[in-house]
Amino acid sequence: MNNTQKKIAVLLAAYNGTEWLQEQIDSILNQVNVNITIFISIDESTDNTLEKCILLSKKYNNIVILPSIGRMGSASKNFFRLVRDVDLIQFDYVAFADQDDIWNQDKLFRAVTQLKNTNADAYSSNVTAFWENGKQCLINKAQSQVKYDYMFESAGPGCTFVLTKKIALKLQKFLIINQLSCDKISMHDWFIYAFLRSHNYQWFIDNHSSMLYRQHNNNVIGANIGLKTALIRWKKLRQGWLVEQSILIADVVGYSDKPPIIWLKRLNILDRIKLIKNIFSYRRRFREKIILALFFMIYTVPKQEKIIF
């Protein structure tokens, strides 16, 4: 291994992933021009994920399996555990990996190069969704960032995230101190984006697709493609998931006393007007701005969820 190559810790969260792990691990091990170590945290599984990972760690000396800590129950808790428990000080960058995707060979090298060229603190990119029937579709997340997008969405799939050492260590410290509150958060990628942006760190979203993003029934969210998926997401939105997570992340990270979160908490008629008036500051994609504006007009907060501010 070239000593001038940047050292990258790849944090991989696994759960019932026997079917896809080999292909994902192979694509990570085949990364060019970087020096990688893969750290795997396995949530208690009902298949042979643990046995598969043990075999891989015996075959490759740059694969490390973290000790079991029992059932975690969500991908976000698993990723947070990885950030807390891995010794990140020895690495130049930290990347995140799902268990079921396929990375381009230059995924990490391109990310490191872009971080250096843009002087950014964190990187994410577009992905290409793919299905078992051979269908593929570009998922574009690289629209221009807006003032408060981090309060309402992630920078893209967490499996594209690459953080500088400085930022990774700050995130690690925060997760250790605030473990109980952070473990209530459902989306680790959205939280990480919000943590950085709310602290005025620079995030670069690459319009290049860096990987194949597998779509199947086990995806936590998956690609936002097609009418069926749109309806599922709209139903989830109507049930208050976005409001709940937006407020929770704001409370944990520390910007819950700022608009638009104040308006979102109260959500009276005047607050709805303010939210809709500023809608172009909340999401990057135009159609999602319109959907969010519609949501703010019709959403009713269940009585037991009302938050007094």
Side-chain angles (χ1 to χ4, degrees):
M1 187 66 68
N2 189 330
N3 290 331
T4 64
Q5 294 176 350
K6 295 300 183 182
K7 296 177 64 177
I8 304 178
V10 178
L11 309 184
L12 192 156
Y15 171 71
N16 283 351
T18 303
E19 184 177 354
W20 314 287
L21 267 168
Q22 185 68 60
E23 196 167 19
Q24 170 71 100
I25 293 291
D26 286 344
S27 73
I28 298 174
L29 292 173
N30 287 332
Q31 293 297 295
V32 297
N33 300 323
V34 289
N35 181 345
I36 64 166
T37 301
I38 305 172
F39 295 91
I40 304 176
S41 173
I42 305 168
D43 202 348
E44 285 189 355
S45 302
T46 57
D47 65 357
N48 296 320
T49 295
L50 176 58
E51 292 77 7
K52 179 68 175 178
C53 290
I54 290 174
L55 288 174
L56 288 166
S57 67
K58 289 180 178 179
K59 184 176 181 181
Y60 301 102
N61 60 12
N62 59 340
I63 295 180
V64 179
I65 302 174
L66 272 61
S68 173
I69 59 171
R71 184 79 173 102
M72 286 172 276
S74 72
S76 61
K77 287 184 180 179
N78 204 350
F79 278 112
F80 289 157
R81 182 272 172 110
L82 279 158
V83 176
R84 290 195 309 267
D85 291 357
V86 172
D87 182 9
L88 303 178
I89 195 72
Q90 59 185 307
F91 296 95
D92 301 303
Y93 297 92
V94 174
F96 296 81
D98 290 341
Q99 64 187 0
D100 51 3
D101 302 319
I102 304 172
W103 288 10
N104 297 356
Q105 280 192 314
D106 66 343
K107 177 183 184 295
L108 293 180
F109 181 65
R110 180 183 177 90
V112 168
T113 301
Q114 293 285 14
L115 284 169
K116 183 178 179 180
N117 291 344
T118 62
N119 200 32
D121 301 292
Y123 169 98
S124 60
S125 76
N126 290 339
V127 297
T128 301
F130 77 107
W131 289 258
E132 299 301 326
N133 63 8
K135 176 185 174 182
Q136 294 190 2
C137 181
L138 176 69
I139 308 299
N140 182 12
K141 303 296 292 185
Q143 300 84 14
S144 296
Q145 295 170 70
V146 293
K147 187 174 183 179
Y148 295 124
D149 65 341
Y150 64 88
M151 295 187 181
F152 296 95
E153 66 176 331
S154 174
C159 48
T160 68
F161 287 11
V162 180
L163 312 180
T164 63
K165 176 180 180 176
K166 178 185 74 172
I167 294 302
L169 291 174
K170 288 181 180 294
L171 177 64
Q172 182 181 61
K173 181 179 179 180
F174 186 89
L175 288 173
I176 290 172
I177 295 172
N178 300 280
Q179 179 176 347
L180 292 179
S181 55
C182 289
D183 277 349
K184 298 176 184 178
I185 295 169
S186 298
M187 306 300 294
H188 67 282
D189 45 7
W190 182 1
F191 165 79
I192 293 170
Y193 184 53
F195 176 78
L196 266 70
R197 285 287 309 281
S198 64
H199 286 82
N200 296 317
Y201 293 113
Q202 298 301 307
W203 194 294
F204 177 76
I205 306 178
D206 195 350
N207 62 10
H208 173 78
S209 174
S210 64
M211 52 174 276
L212 294 175
Y213 186 46
R214 191 184 301 271
Q215 301 298 298
H216 53 75
N217 292 334
N218 292 339
N219 285 118
V220 176
I221 294 294
N224 188 8
I225 299 173
L227 179 59
K228 182 179 178 180
T229 303
L231 291 174
I232 292 173
R233 285 173 176 256
W234 176 251
K235 181 179 179 181
K236 198 173 183 71
L237 189 66
R238 288 295 307 274
Q239 290 172 343
W241 175 84
L242 180 137
V243 171
E244 176 187 305
Q245 289 297 307
S246 291
I247 293 174
L248 178 57
I249 291 173
D251 286 343
V252 173
V253 174
Y255 54 85
S256 60
D257 59 342
K258 299 178 181 178
I261 299 300
I262 294 175
W263 306 333
L264 192 64
K265 284 184 173 184
R266 293 186 306 229
L267 211 61
N268 58 37
I269 293 176
L270 183 59
D271 293 324
R272 293 176 192 269
I273 293 172
K274 291 177 180 177
L275 284 165
I276 294 169
K277 182 180 178 181
N278 293 276
I279 200 67
F280 285 90
S281 298
Y282 303 154
R283 300 282 293 213
R284 296 186 298 276
R285 185 188 293 273
F286 178 78
R287 73 181 185 190
E288 293 174 1
K289 301 176 195 286
I290 303 305
I291 293 171
L292 192 57
L294 177 61
F295 167 75
F296 288 146
M297 283 191 284
I298 67 175
Y299 177 64
T300 302
V301 182
K303 289 183 179 180
Q304 65 272 22
E305 294 183 12
K306 282 188 177 293
I307 300 173
I308 300 174
F309 183 82

